[in-house]
Amino acid sequence: MRRLILPLACCLVAIGASRPATAGQFEQIEKDLNNRAWFQKIAAEAFRPDSLILDSDRDPCDVIFRRTRALLDHLAAMPGAPDFSAERLALKQLAPKVAAGPRHSRRALFAEIQTLQRTIALKNPLLDFDQIIFAGRVTPAARHMCPQNYGFLMRPGGGVYVLDDAFGEKPRVRSVFEGKTIGRGRTAGMKLSDGSCVGLELDWEAGKIYFAWTECQPGTLQTSAPGGQWFGTYPYRPGGNRDGSPDYYWAPESTLHIYRADLDGENLEQLTDGPWNDFDPCVLPNGRVAFVSGRRGGYGRCHGASFPTYTLHGMMPDGSDIITLSYHETNEWQPSVSNDGMIAYTRWDYVDRDADIAHHLWLCYPDGRDPRSWHGNYPENNPKVRPTMELGIRAIPGSHKFVAVAAPHHGLFYGSLILIDQRIRDDRQRSQIKRLTPDAPFAEAEGTWQTYNYGTPWPLSEDFYLCVYTEGAEGTLAMDTRHELYLVDAFGNRIRLAGLPGPLSCLDPIPLRARRRPPAIPIQTQQAKADLPADGNVRPATITVMNVYESEFPWPAGTKIDALRVVQIYPKTTPVHIDPEVGYGKHSLTRSVLGTVPVEEDGSCRFEAPVGVPIYFQALDESGRAVQTMRSAAFVHPGEQLTCIGCHEDKHRPVQTLGNPTALTMAPRKLTPELPEWTRPVTFPRLVQPVLDKHCVACHAKEEEAASLAGDRFDDMLGWSDGYWGLVPCAWTKHGNSVARSKTLATLLGRGDGWILNGQSYSIPGQVGARASKLLPLLEKGHYDVRLSPEELHRITLWIDCNSVFYGAYHEAERQARGELVVPVLE
């Protein structure tokens, strides 16, 4: 065991860290006993049955005694287990008292068992360290997964702390940065106690710590929206706003930045800066640091306020050579390193599907390439079938599983602890999940709006975790709610280790010791300075699909895929969700069609791909219509050679052999533009309205019962034309909002039936786009004497395949409605 001793100059914090018993556990178990139906309902999902309330449990003493005995039996069977003979004898002597039953108040007996439980738990052979480093902060003034990482919504106070003699007789907490000031960067001379810390990281050798810190400056409120929502400005690109207005909220003083220091608090230096939030640092096996940043620009699509997005970035450990690891257009969180050297993180993923149900585990290589999700990304449409969000994801030592927090979409990063096993087939419900803490329901997904008991777990094994915990944190998290350090096990036991004074809450506990460095996977992109070719000639990025017919879902009988369409989607550049409402598919994305590539007879294709932009693919039939479409986003980096097995391939079905795909015997193809004058970007006024003007508008104007298809008349709320309103009910759309409204803008306008749920989060081949629309059969059958040319029919079917959008950019909506070309400002 390597013991790290910090200098005594660090200030001791007298907080009662050695308190042996946890007040409130008796009452909490009483509540659980009164909620037996819940534990019976989810019994099959518990990782360890002892964490449940069983039929034989009569009172809290029965429960804690049974769980303590299960803990002792497990620890005694572990390699390197100490002698538990004294504890086993003490437990045996307590057994008759427990068996006597709850004839009167048994709090004293409960406390006696609890003291023994603590003694047993702290003899765990996995606790081969005696110091825990952790962060402390005041609960932020935010109640949503996105803005809690905005610096100006944090409240000053806290810092980085060490718990010495963590499992001994006299544990004590010390402030690492007491009396220290920042030594380098714009914030040089400031004290960490004047701001707020989040996202603590310890390097592999336990020699350096990384974290994010903000000065918590509120900035200047630019405007107010109805209902008291707040707004700010944010640059479309680094360097300022398009209109030249100042960055009020998004100034360096009001955002998070990454810092690094030695364990004794010396050499404290600022690594990043700017009018965007940088946070969640993660030291990679190759020495570089991954982190989350909003510096790429863009906003969330479903917010009524200014919520800038943030995604994975990377840098050298001194803050130099910052590169973008993820070009995703929505938010990402909390990268960590898997046991095999991959980056594990949370990604919010929704392309033409519901917003609230897919923010789960993703994996990518350390250079950001090939992001994949084997779990949770395409659940059944009901958000209650699995956790709404999974955060704090970490690989478990000696296991292929991950621990995570089942957290709310509309809330902070706390909830219930779960195990994720990606080797089990995903049934789009909870097959890959086991509950470590069944006493806490999945926040927001299971009837409890916000269950904030557990957070920031650090796994010691599949059964034991350091984490933060608070008793009774159901309902809205109060501003003064305090989470403390705990040792939690899968048998239902919780051992308090320490807390912080006043309003300070603990988070991010890490054993203060060196740990095994996972393998450093070779870099295969040409983006970071060290990876650039000496001659400066970066190779083209390519994408290869081995066989499009390798699919999880069956293709329609007789289907022949002729080509693959590549569609670019654009990050949102206006802060409010309906500014503008892009199309009938609520919270939809603007997009461009980059082109198509032929699919060979054996189902393979290979092509050069644009770098640094989010894209998705559609498999096209011989008529150029989508048979299958992605509802996720992909991207490639400079020099990346991305390979996919198939089109939404079954990840758990072994592929015996793919032979030698034809596409790999040929040079990568170039994308063939598809109606490039009208599809970059795709807009209804430019792509479809000319067809209506030529064939439909005049006739519809003569018929009183016919819908107007005019392109020069617009509604006052959304700016959509009569032509769009007339055609879109017969088209095909998927929505980026999973809330069905009884009164939508559409019904208020008296047009259409309003927005509805999508039905499922994944696509079924043959049931997407123009092929699934009401309009295509009508046009193919013939509508009166209308005869469309192949190009005109192609215009309409391509528009439907692209989710039947109206706008192609997020600004200058009136110009777009008139049919003028407006190019998106952020790719």
Side-chain angles (χ1 to χ4, degrees):
M1 178 181 70
R2 177 187 176 188
R3 182 173 181 179
L4 300 168
I5 304 296
L6 298 188
L8 293 178
C10 294
C11 177
L12 295 182
V13 182
I15 57 169
S18 60
R19 185 177 60 181
T22 302
Q25 281 200 24
F26 187 94
E27 290 79 3
Q28 187 63 48
I29 295 178
E30 279 189 322
K31 290 181 181 179
D32 291 342
L33 287 163
N34 291 325
N35 196 19
R36 292 175 185 268
W38 164 254
F39 290 93
Q40 293 171 353
K41 177 182 176 181
I42 52 91
E45 299 171 18
F47 181 59
R48 297 290 186 185
D50 285 288
S51 63
L52 300 166
I53 295 297
L54 306 182
D55 291 341
S56 58
D57 294 329
R58 300 164 298 174
D59 76 334
C61 286
D62 283 346
V63 176
I64 192 173
F65 182 80
R66 173 175 55 78
R67 290 175 176 174
T68 301
R69 184 173 55 197
L71 172 63
L72 176 59
D73 291 342
H74 183 88
L75 291 177
M78 290 176 60
D83 180 11
F84 282 107
S85 56
E87 290 79 15
R88 195 174 293 279
L89 177 61
L91 204 61
K92 182 179 180 180
Q93 292 173 343
L94 286 171
K97 298 181 181 179
V98 175
R103 299 175 182 174
H104 50 78
S105 175
R106 306 218 293 174
R107 287 180 179 271
L109 177 59
F110 185 91
E112 190 175 354
I113 302 170
Q114 191 177 46
T115 300
L116 177 60
Q117 177 196 74
R118 181 182 184 88
T119 300
I120 294 170
L122 297 186
K123 291 180 69 173
N124 189 329
L126 294 176
L127 303 181
D128 57 351
F129 53 94
D130 59 2
Q131 294 176 298
I132 300 172
I133 192 166
F134 64 99
R137 67 170 181 175
V138 183
T139 302
R143 295 296 178 270
H144 191 279
M145 60 179 186
C146 293
Q148 64 184 295
N149 286 316
Y150 300 155
F152 66 86
L153 288 179
M154 296 185 179
R155 299 189 291 167
V160 178
Y161 303 87
V162 170
L163 176 62
D164 283 318
D165 195 22
F167 315 113
E169 293 297 323
K170 296 182 178 180
R172 57 199 181 278
V173 172
R174 298 186 283 140
S175 172
V176 173
F177 295 109
E178 182 72 22
K180 304 292 176 60
T181 58
I182 300 168
R184 182 173 74 88
R186 178 185 53 81
T187 55
M190 295 184 183
K191 295 182 179 180
L192 293 186
S193 57
D194 296 331
S196 182
C197 293
V198 69
L200 182 65
E201 169 77 336
L202 178 68
D203 70 4
W204 304 103
E205 294 76 25
K208 293 279 188 180
I209 53 175
Y210 294 80
F211 56 91
W213 183 77
T214 177
E215 300 162 62
C216 300
Q217 295 300 311
T220 303
L221 187 62
Q222 187 181 27
T223 61
S224 285
Q229 292 175 317
W230 48 265
F231 285 81
T233 61
Y234 189 73
Y236 291 110
R237 296 180 184 275
N241 298 308
R242 287 183 352 101
D243 61 1
S245 61
D247 292 326
Y248 287 102
Y249 277 130
W250 315 107
E253 296 80 14
S254 61
T255 48
L256 284 161
H257 311 295
I258 306 294
Y259 289 75
R260 179 179 67 172
D262 298 335
L263 290 181
D264 58 4
E266 297 296 332
N267 297 314
L268 174 57
E269 54 186 344
Q270 181 179 356
L271 302 182
T272 69
D273 203 4
W276 41 70
N277 290 283
D278 298 327
F279 54 96
D280 286 346
C282 170
V283 180
L284 303 177
N286 63 6
R288 288 183 64 90
V289 176
F291 65 101
V292 175
S293 176
R295 63 184 58 234
R296 184 169 170 264
Y299 293 94
R301 286 183 271 127
C302 68
H303 309 299
S306 175
F307 283 16
T309 57
Y310 35 73
T311 61
L312 291 180
H313 285 66
M315 64 181 177
M316 294 296 288
D318 62 358
S320 63
D321 193 24
I322 293 177
I323 61 173
T324 302
L325 296 180
S326 172
Y327 297 98
H328 189 50
E329 53 81 34
T330 316
N331 298 67
E332 295 169 337
W333 295 267
Q334 297 178 330
S336 63
V337 179
S338 71
N339 291 331
D340 54 2
M342 302 285 280
I343 299 178
Y345 61 104
T346 301
R347 170 168 156 177
W348 187 9
D349 194 54
Y350 69 114
V351 175
D352 301 337
R353 60 190 173 111
D354 300 332
D356 295 357
I357 57 177
H359 352 58
H360 298 80
L361 169 61
W362 280 71
L363 292 165
C364 71
Y365 286 92
D367 52 7
R369 61 187 164 89
D370 198 11
R372 304 279 177 128
S373 174
W374 284 54
H375 159 75
N377 198 41
Y378 295 105
E380 295 298 339
N381 206 57
N382 182 354
K384 295 183 179 181
V385 301
R386 66 172 81 197
T388 303
M389 189 173 193
E390 294 167 355
L391 289 159
I393 298 169
R394 290 193 180 274
I396 297 173
S399 172
H400 62 275
K401 300 175 185 177
F402 293 84
V403 65
V405 178
H409 174 96
H410 301 92
L412 298 182
F413 293 174
Y414 303 99
S416 183
L417 300 188
I418 58 172
L419 277 178
I420 301 172
D421 187 349
Q422 297 184 102
R423 294 188 181 182
I424 297 174
R425 180 179 291 274
D426 189 356
D427 67 351
R428 305 190 189 281
Q429 298 191 41
R430 293 192 286 266
S431 61
Q432 295 178 311
I433 292 172
K434 287 295 184 181
R435 299 175 189 256
L436 290 167
T437 56
D439 57 297
F442 298 159
E444 191 168 351
E446 292 182 328
T448 302
W449 186 247
Q450 294 171 333
T451 305
Y452 282 146
N453 297 91
Y454 301 89
T456 60
W458 185 276
L460 304 175
S461 71
E462 291 184 3
D463 286 288
F464 300 99
Y465 302 85
L466 299 177
C467 73
V468 300
Y469 174 80
T470 187
E471 297 280 4
E474 296 183 3
T476 301
L477 186 66
M479 296 289 282
D480 58 351
T481 297
R482 295 176 57 249
H483 285 76
E484 297 183 318
L485 294 188
Y486 275 75
L487 173 64
V488 171
D489 65 47
F491 308 100
N493 303 301
R494 297 186 297 270
I495 307 299
R496 180 186 180 275
L497 300 177
L500 289 172
L504 294 180
S505 213
C506 303
L507 71 162
D508 301 323
I510 305 173
L512 191 44
R513 62 177 177 184
R515 52 201 163 108
R516 183 189 72 85
R517 183 189 293 262
I521 300 173
I523 302 299
Q524 295 187 20
T525 62
Q526 297 175 320
Q527 188 174 10
K529 290 180 179 179
D531 306 319
L532 294 174
D535 60 6
N537 294 321
V538 175
R539 63 176 176 264
T542 65
I543 296 176
T544 302
V545 180
M546 305 295 279
N547 184 354
V548 296
Y549 300 108
E550 286 287 343
S551 175
E552 182 177 0
F553 302 104
W555 295 88
T559 296
K560 182 181 184 301
I561 299 303
D562 189 66
L564 199 70
R565 176 184 289 149
V566 180
V567 182
Q568 177 180 350
I569 52 180
Y570 294 103
K572 196 170 189 300
T573 50
T574 51
V576 182
H577 57 100
I578 56 172
D579 180 23
E581 191 71 87
V582 168
Y584 200 77
K586 188 165 180 59
H587 297 173
S588 190
L589 286 153
T590 62
R591 64 201 78 197
S592 283
V593 176
L594 300 182
T596 62
V597 59
V599 171
E600 309 301 334
E601 288 296 323
D602 62 354
S604 65
C605 66
R606 186 182 181 210
F607 59 95
E608 292 186 13
V611 302
V613 297
I615 54 179
Y616 69 93
F617 313 121
Q618 295 182 328
L620 308 182
D621 62 18
E622 293 170 290
S623 299
R625 297 162 191 166
V627 182
Q628 174 67 302
T629 184
M630 280 179 66
R631 296 170 79 177
S632 181
F635 47 79
V636 289
H637 301 78
E640 182 174 353
Q641 315 293 294
L642 177 63
T643 300
C644 301
I645 292 176
C647 186
H648 286 278
E649 71 273 10
D650 183 349
K651 298 178 178 64
H652 294 273
R653 184 177 66 197
V655 179
Q656 300 302 326
T657 176
L658 293 173
N660 185 25
T662 302
L664 288 179
T665 67
M666 308 161 57
R669 293 181 182 266
K670 304 279 189 181
L671 290 175
T672 300
E674 187 176 9
L675 299 177
E677 293 184 59
W678 317 110
T679 60
R680 296 189 179 181
V682 174
T683 71
F684 179 87
R686 287 173 50 79
L687 183 61
V688 178
Q689 189 63 48
V691 180
L692 302 184
D693 290 343
K694 180 178 179 181
H695 295 282
C696 310
V697 171
C699 184
H700 273 244
K702 296 175 183 177
E703 299 290 337
E704 291 186 4
E705 299 298 322
S708 169
L709 296 179
D712 57 358
R713 293 168 52 185
F714 311 97
D715 70 69
D716 293 333
M717 295 185 68
L718 303 179
W720 297 345
S721 66
D722 280 5
Y724 184 77
W725 277 114
L727 214 60
V728 76
C730 296
W732 180 87
T733 56
K734 292 296 179 181
H735 311 280
N737 188 320
S738 57
V739 178
R741 300 182 182 182
S742 59
K743 290 184 178 181
T744 66
L745 293 174
T747 55
L748 288 174
L749 287 165
R751 313 210 192 203
D753 298 324
W755 289 281
I756 59 174
L757 294 173
N758 286 321
Q760 75 276 329
S761 62
Y762 45 90
S763 293
I764 304 297
Q767 300 179 25
V768 302
R771 291 169 58 116
S773 72
K774 299 176 183 178
L775 187 57
L776 180 59
L778 178 67
L779 296 176
E780 288 185 326
K781 180 181 179 181
H783 184 60
Y784 293 92
D785 60 349
V786 174
R787 296 293 181 268
L788 301 180
S789 69
E791 179 184 312
E792 290 169 335
L793 184 60
H794 187 191
R795 281 172 173 255
I796 294 176
T797 57
L798 188 148
W799 166 70
I800 300 173
D801 282 349
C802 289
N803 210 41
S804 308
V805 297
F806 184 77
Y807 295 113
Y810 304 103
H811 65 291
E812 299 183 273
E814 292 183 4
R815 286 186 56 204
Q816 295 183 68
R818 294 194 299 267
E820 298 180 35
L821 175 62
V822 176
V823 179
V825 296
L826 179 62
E827 295 185 348

